[in-house]
Amino acid sequence: MCGIIAVTGRPDAARVLIQGLERLEYRGYDSAGLSVTDGEGGIVRVRVAGKVNELKAAWNSREAGSCGIAHTRWATHGPATEANAHPHTAGRVHVVHNGIIENYRSLREATTKAGATFHSQTDTEVIAWLYAAALEESNDVVDAFQRTVRKLEGAYSLAVMVDGEDDLLLGARRGAPLLAGFDDTAGYLASDPLALAGEAQSLIFLEDGEIAAVRPGRVDITDLTGRAVTRPVQPAQLSPVLAEKGSYRHFMEKEIHEQPEVVARTLGAYVDQVENTIRARDGLDFSKASRLLIVGCGTAAYAGEVAEYWFERIARLPTEVDIASEFRYRDPAFLEGDVALFISQSGETADTLEAMRLCKAAGLITVALVNTAHSTMAREADIVAPTLAGPEIGVASTKAFSCQLAALACLAVRAGIERGHLDTASVTDHVAQLMAIPGTMSEALRADGQIDQLARDLSRSEIVLYLGRDQYFPMALEGALKLKEISYIHAEGYAAGELKHGPIALVEEGVSVIVLAPSDSLFAKTRSSIEQVRARGAHVLALTDEAGAEALEGLVQASILLPAARGAANLMSAAVAVQLIAYHVAVHKGTDVDQPRNLAKSVTVE
């Protein structure tokens, strides 16, 4: 949700902090700030209401010391103002925080009665006042920090520095990601390993209820009572090159074009090409499953809805898809033999994580489909199903979504094998379809120029409707979501067969309708839906193949030609098209493509 980075033992601390914030800005960009030792026994703090480049300008390369903390914010408590920007201070304490402190009001009332004067509307400032008060009672800065953290309820990751402790950083986590890093001469804290790419040599991922004391070259971890904790040390594997746009205008554009490569990488984790099959996953036996529950948020939920068609059709496995926030609170009824699969790019999505914990407590087998190997969901799930999209910086998910679809398609085939619904010839055919996906997506990218031209007119639309049938219905929902997210055009996705049950009332002269219309067994019915909206004056754009375009000639304003393919490959070429439509429309509208308003990449609070 927000981004944290902290460093000690680096003479270029401010540079490391600002560079880290630039990489973390996908997590929040309403405001930003940093506090750095000034080399003379004090700490200098600079904050802005705005993005990291504005903080960089405000900092203006001033001299500073070797220890500091920094933050880029997505507003929760209080609007995006300089006063609400992190770090927050009280006494000797400077603190940055991701998450929400649920008992903030009672803590604020207590600290105010004790003499605290608040300067912001955030819940974070109360942490600074609590710790400042604890330091007045104890000379042990770590013990005072532990006592402070024990008073907090809710989700948080914290990075703290104390005036007079020039080489010490303190971190704590509960329900929001935090990791520590180190090398021979420096120490780090961050909310995402991407922030430390090219800096730290080794990483330690904190668990809930743990505190890190970070000094140059050293990280000590304890629980909230002060008992020492040992955590595995992981090599830092990310390259700083991964955070660069290269020749592309936006990260989203780059990530759309990376999809053939990263989808191929993901398929390689599931497909055994020598044996022409899908590898089994330890601990996961679909033959014993009575039902598959799929849970996610936003784009991840739409990936699950696509997969529902696949699991039921290929494996005859009853499947239900839920939005995580609704699943948690509707008191779901479980069946014996239920398997629950949770989809999250970050592996930290708060609602999805809590839904997984609910299922785990009920005794269900839990599967985490995640892009982040060391995330909380990956650590807590019974089984991890990886996606290998690499870091995704653009807030609107593209390559992570495609890798989720690729992994789900593989799992559906594996389920069909284990449940006895696929013979050897069928498995071989499904594997061939799966391995065709990267090439099909690469071919679909050739429509980029045509889509760019068509997007100019679409960018002037006030409303855009997406229609699809079968597996293309959730893809229509995803297409509408992408357009909403980055162009701010009111877009809706519908099942094409539902037109006469209400949505057709929205169609009038000039309304734009985008129809996913592959020349498959349902093409005639899709064509009928096109005729219905065309008769009412809609401006129709079809996403189809050569045969479909020929059949629709004269009926639609334009057809975007996609490669003819089978199964998941056909669907995923359509994914490329709806992503490119959203991207180019947003560019023509002049919106902030990578950092759309009010959104953040990883939502780690409810």
Side-chain angles (χ1 to χ4, degrees):
M1 189 174 105
C2 304
I4 285 174
I5 181 172
V7 60
T8 182
R10 288 290 295 263
D12 58 345
R15 181 198 66 79
V16 175
L17 293 173
I18 291 174
Q19 176 182 275
L21 289 185
E22 289 173 333
R23 295 175 183 171
L24 291 173
E25 201 167 20
Y26 72 97
R27 295 179 65 93
Y29 37 84
D30 290 334
S31 58
L34 75 166
S35 291
V36 186
T37 53
D38 62 10
E40 299 179 358
I43 297 175
V44 59
R45 176 179 63 155
V46 175
R47 301 178 297 167
V48 299
K51 297 188 177 182
V52 173
N53 60 353
E54 296 173 55
L55 176 66
K56 190 174 183 179
W59 181 257
N60 196 26
S61 302
R62 68 184 72 190
E63 294 291 330
S66 61
C67 183
I69 60 177
H71 188 270
T72 180
R73 179 174 184 250
W74 188 60
T76 51
H77 283 70
T81 63
E82 182 178 331
N84 288 331
H86 300 215
H88 290 284
T89 65
R92 300 164 56 201
V93 175
H94 290 239
V95 58
V96 295
H97 161 228
N98 291 351
I100 290 179
I101 304 302
E102 292 178 0
N103 59 337
Y104 147 74
R105 294 191 182 279
S106 61
L107 292 175
R108 179 163 176 151
E109 289 173 4
T111 51
T112 300
K113 288 179 181 178
T117 302
F118 284 81
H119 304 283
S120 76
Q121 298 165 278
T122 70
D123 54 343
T124 304
E125 192 178 359
V126 75
I127 303 170
W129 283 107
L130 286 171
Y131 187 28
L135 286 173
E136 291 181 359
E137 300 172 2
S138 172
N139 291 324
D140 187 330
V141 292
V142 177
D143 175 71
F145 185 60
Q146 291 166 347
R147 288 190 286 112
T148 299
V149 174
R150 287 199 293 266
K151 296 178 180 178
L152 306 179
E153 298 175 6
Y156 53 78
S157 57
L158 308 174
V160 177
M161 60 189 299
V162 179
D163 200 350
E165 300 285 342
D166 287 1
D167 66 349
L168 174 66
L169 299 169
L170 295 168
R173 102 156 249 180
R174 179 185 174 189
L178 188 70
L179 60 106
F182 64 94
D183 53 34
D184 292 341
T185 60
Y188 307 85
L189 289 168
S191 53
D192 188 316
L194 184 62
L196 304 182
E199 305 295 346
Q201 294 176 355
S202 301
L203 304 178
I204 300 173
F205 293 83
L206 275 66
E207 299 285 351
D208 281 359
E210 293 180 349
I211 286 174
V214 180
R215 296 177 176 85
R218 175 180 170 185
V219 176
D220 296 307
I221 300 176
T222 66
D223 63 17
L224 295 182
T225 68
R227 183 177 58 187
V229 174
T230 300
R231 284 276 161 244
V233 177
Q234 309 281 348
Q237 297 175 329
L238 286 176
S239 163
V241 174
L242 293 174
E244 301 299 329
K245 287 196 287 279
S247 61
Y248 294 98
R249 291 170 292 178
H250 303 92
F251 281 113
M252 183 178 179
E253 182 185 24
K254 175 176 180 280
E255 288 156 3
I256 290 172
H257 285 265
E258 286 176 344
Q259 288 179 116
E261 177 186 354
V262 297
V263 166
R265 187 189 310 157
T266 298
L267 289 169
Y270 292 84
V271 177
D272 184 336
Q273 289 185 268
V274 175
E275 299 295 332
N276 261 331
T277 191
I278 306 299
R279 298 183 185 93
R281 305 209 72 79
D282 289 344
L284 180 58
D285 184 353
F286 286 109
S287 69
K288 298 178 180 178
S290 59
R291 180 177 59 164
L292 178 64
L293 304 176
I294 301 179
V295 181
C297 296
T299 288
Y302 293 149
E305 289 189 22
V306 171
E308 180 179 7
Y309 289 90
W310 296 341
F311 278 102
E312 295 200 338
R313 182 170 294 149
I314 296 171
R316 310 309 301 166
L317 175 57
T319 303
E320 294 182 12
V321 183
D322 257 297
I323 297 169
S325 57
E326 290 297 315
F327 181 84
R328 287 180 60 192
Y329 297 114
R330 69 173 176 83
D331 194 18
F334 299 121
L335 302 175
E336 185 176 352
D338 277 351
V339 173
L341 187 151
F342 302 86
I343 307 174
S344 170
Q345 187 281 138
S346 67
E348 304 289 352
T349 309
D351 285 313
T352 309
L353 175 58
E354 291 302 324
M356 189 180 82
R357 287 169 172 164
L358 175 68
C359 290
K360 196 171 180 68
L364 276 64
I365 294 173
T366 56
V367 184
L369 185 71
V370 295
N371 191 45
T372 312
H374 302 295
S375 63
T376 304
M377 286 176 61
R379 294 196 299 272
E380 294 189 13
D382 297 312
I383 299 154
V384 176
T387 58
L388 303 175
E392 187 177 65
I393 307 302
V395 167
S397 182
T398 52
K399 64 176 182 173
F401 173 65
S402 293
C403 287
Q404 288 164 358
L405 289 174
L408 289 164
C410 291
L411 290 173
V413 174
R414 185 65 211 176
I417 295 169
E418 293 176 353
R419 294 172 68 82
H421 292 287
L422 296 177
D423 59 21
T424 300
S426 297
V427 174
T428 299
D429 186 48
H430 277 291
V431 169
Q433 292 179 39
L434 291 168
M435 298 313 294
I437 292 173
T440 303
M441 296 183 80
S442 181
E443 191 175 344
L445 285 167
R446 297 175 188 170
D448 192 9
Q450 181 195 9
I451 291 173
D452 186 13
Q453 293 178 358
L454 294 170
R456 188 176 299 278
D457 286 339
L458 273 173
S459 69
R460 292 189 281 268
S461 301
E462 293 184 2
I463 181 172
V464 176
L465 305 182
Y466 285 73
L467 303 179
R469 288 179 181 269
D470 196 74
Q471 61 183 350
Y472 295 92
F473 166 41
M475 188 58 71
L477 296 172
E478 169 62 10
L481 177 62
K482 280 290 159 288
L483 193 66
K484 279 184 277 200
E485 283 180 320
I486 62 172
S487 75
Y488 316 142
I489 290 174
H490 185 171
E492 298 293 342
Y494 293 104
E498 283 291 291
L499 268 177
K500 290 183 177 179
H501 297 277
I504 202 166
L506 295 170
V507 180
E508 59 184 353
E509 188 73 33
V511 167
S512 295
V513 179
I514 297 173
V515 185
L516 288 81
S519 56
D520 57 13
S521 60
L522 296 175
F523 180 78
K525 293 185 179 298
T526 303
R527 179 190 169 100
S528 175
S529 298
I530 292 173
E531 290 171 342
Q532 292 170 29
V533 296
R534 189 73 181 91
R536 289 159 177 81
H539 185 283
V540 182
L541 175 63
L543 307 184
T544 188
D545 48 50
E546 188 172 351
E550 184 176 341
L552 295 174
E553 188 172 357
L555 187 58
V556 299
Q557 272 70 26
S559 290
I560 295 174
L561 284 181
L562 299 175
R566 294 185 302 136
N570 208 9
L571 178 97
M572 290 175 69
S573 69
V576 170
V578 299
Q579 292 165 0
L580 286 171
I581 289 170
Y583 172 74
H584 285 297
V585 169
V587 170
H588 284 298
K589 284 181 67 68
T591 61
D592 193 335
V593 172
D594 286 332
Q595 298 171 353
R597 68 189 182 201
N598 303 331
L599 299 177
K601 186 67 178 175
S602 178
V603 182
T604 55
V605 296
E606 293 186 64

